[in-house]
Amino acid sequence: EEFVSTLFLDCIKHRRALRVAVNNFFAEEPINALRSDRHLYTVLCYLATFALPDLGVRQLITVVSCVPLAKLQRFYAFLTHDDNYNSLLRSQWSKVYDSQYVEEYLIKPLHHSGPVLMEELAVLAIEQAQATKPSVQAAPSLTQPQPFNITKPRGRPLPIPQPVKNQETVKAKEIPLSTYRTPLEQEALKRNRSANRQRALLKARHAKPPACAPTKAELEAKEARRQQQLNRRQTTVSTGFHAQPAPSHLHKPADVKLNAATILREELLYREQLDREAKR
């Protein structure tokens, strides 16, 4: 309990420095790192930096043994890489703490214990792989069945056929008369169809023609009138009919009453004609 409370208080105390490392890790691994594991990576970062000189690598491996090995290798590989903690993390940690403090409590543990930590994680991965590897067992020999030594039975003799009794002649039943008759339902349908047809013909014969369609008498009268007009035209052409000439008063100029505007326009036109002739 004392270790857990100390771990909790130190994570709160150094949350700014731990947040720098975790944020850079999420930026480096945007796909593999889950946002829900932020607190887990914060604790792992604290154990590998501030608590590593007191715990040691062996004790650290024991503490984080419950964490999936893939997450441990991925995070500690980023944290213990020389280019990461010497350039990127150092510059951002220097904004939070003094350079001497950063060198003593953050950079120095990663520099000295980082390679050893990665080797221990690699050994742990090999041990887990060997432990989970299924053991190969030899296939058991199968039992070969043996046939029973039993005397085969003799075959049964064929039965003696019995004489066939004289069968009486079978008379077939007469074909019913209804086989060659039309069914009553079809006859009823045929009668109804015929009655409906007669009723429709009678209705069509007494029905009034539509108002928009001309009757036969109207068409004959129209054709007769057209023929009369055609005969009249032929008679008129054969007699040599000539139209009367146009009246003579149409050739005289019509008297037009001029108003003031018309007079002024004529005067203007006359002056323009005079000016054109003068310019020539």
Side-chain angles (χ1 to χ4, degrees):
E1 295 180 358
E2 183 179 358
F3 174 73
V4 174
S5 60
T6 305
L7 173 66
F8 180 73
L9 292 176
D10 287 348
C11 287
I12 295 176
K13 179 181 178 181
H14 303 290
R15 62 181 181 275
R16 295 179 63 186
L18 300 177
R19 189 185 301 122
V20 169
V22 174
N23 290 341
N24 283 278
F25 173 69
F26 277 116
E28 185 73 18
E29 297 285 343
I31 298 176
N32 297 324
L34 300 178
R35 296 292 177 179
S36 58
D37 296 335
R38 173 177 288 274
H39 298 298
L40 173 63
Y41 292 127
T42 302
V43 174
L44 294 178
C45 182
Y46 169 77
L47 293 175
T49 52
F50 294 99
L52 186 58
D54 298 333
L55 290 177
V57 177
R58 291 285 184 180
Q59 191 67 22
L60 175 62
I61 295 297
T62 305
V63 172
V64 299
S65 59
C66 59
V67 182
L69 187 59
K71 295 181 180 180
L72 292 175
Q73 288 180 330
R74 192 179 300 115
F75 181 72
Y76 284 143
F78 166 78
L79 193 63
T80 58
H81 197 274
D82 295 341
D83 296 338
N84 292 332
Y85 69 78
N86 278 329
S87 60
L88 180 63
L89 297 179
R90 181 193 291 271
S91 61
Q92 296 186 12
W93 280 336
S94 299
K95 298 178 182 178
V96 180
Y97 299 116
D98 294 338
S99 300
Q100 185 178 359
Y101 186 85
V102 170
E103 183 69 27
E104 181 69 22
Y105 292 99
L106 295 174
I107 303 299
K108 188 176 180 180
L110 294 176
H111 180 71
H112 291 290
S113 302
V116 181
L117 177 61
M118 295 307 298
E119 291 178 0
E120 293 292 336
L121 291 177
V123 172
L124 182 62
I126 294 173
E127 292 177 355
Q128 290 184 1
Q130 292 178 354
T132 56
K133 185 177 181 181
S135 59
V136 179
Q137 297 179 357
S141 60
L142 301 178
T143 303
Q144 300 295 333
Q146 299 294 332
F148 294 102
N149 189 11
I150 299 175
T151 305
K152 295 182 180 181
R154 295 179 180 179
R156 292 183 180 181
L158 296 175
I160 301 173
Q162 299 294 332
V164 180
K165 297 180 180 180
N166 294 330
Q167 297 181 357
E168 298 179 357
T169 57
V170 179
K171 294 182 180 181
K173 294 182 179 180
E174 296 182 358
I175 300 174
L177 298 177
S178 60
T179 305
Y180 303 101
R181 292 178 182 175
T182 306
L184 299 178
E185 292 81 0
Q186 293 186 6
E187 292 182 356
L189 290 174
K190 188 175 181 180
R191 288 195 302 270
N192 293 339
R193 195 180 297 111
S194 179
N196 292 337
R197 184 175 181 81
Q198 295 295 332
R199 193 180 299 109
L201 292 175
L202 183 61
K203 186 176 180 180
R205 189 179 299 113
H206 295 285
K208 295 181 180 180
C212 60
T215 60
K216 184 176 180 181
E218 293 178 354
L219 292 175
E220 292 177 354
K222 185 176 180 180
E223 182 64 22
R225 288 195 300 270
R226 191 182 66 81
Q227 191 66 28
Q228 289 178 3
Q229 292 177 1
L230 184 59
N231 295 335
R232 191 181 301 111
R233 290 177 183 175
Q234 291 178 357
T235 305
T236 304
V237 172
S238 61
T239 53
F241 174 78
H242 298 283
Q244 295 181 0
S248 59
H249 62 83
L250 294 178
H251 300 285
K252 296 180 182 180
D255 296 334
V256 179
K257 185 178 181 181
L258 302 178
N259 52 11
T262 306
I263 295 171
L264 292 175
R265 283 197 296 270
E266 288 184 354
E267 184 178 359
L268 179 60
L269 182 61
Y270 178 70
R271 288 181 179 178
E272 289 179 355
Q273 291 178 357
L274 292 177
D275 291 341
R276 286 197 295 270
E277 290 179 358
K279 288 180 180 180
R280 289 178 184 177

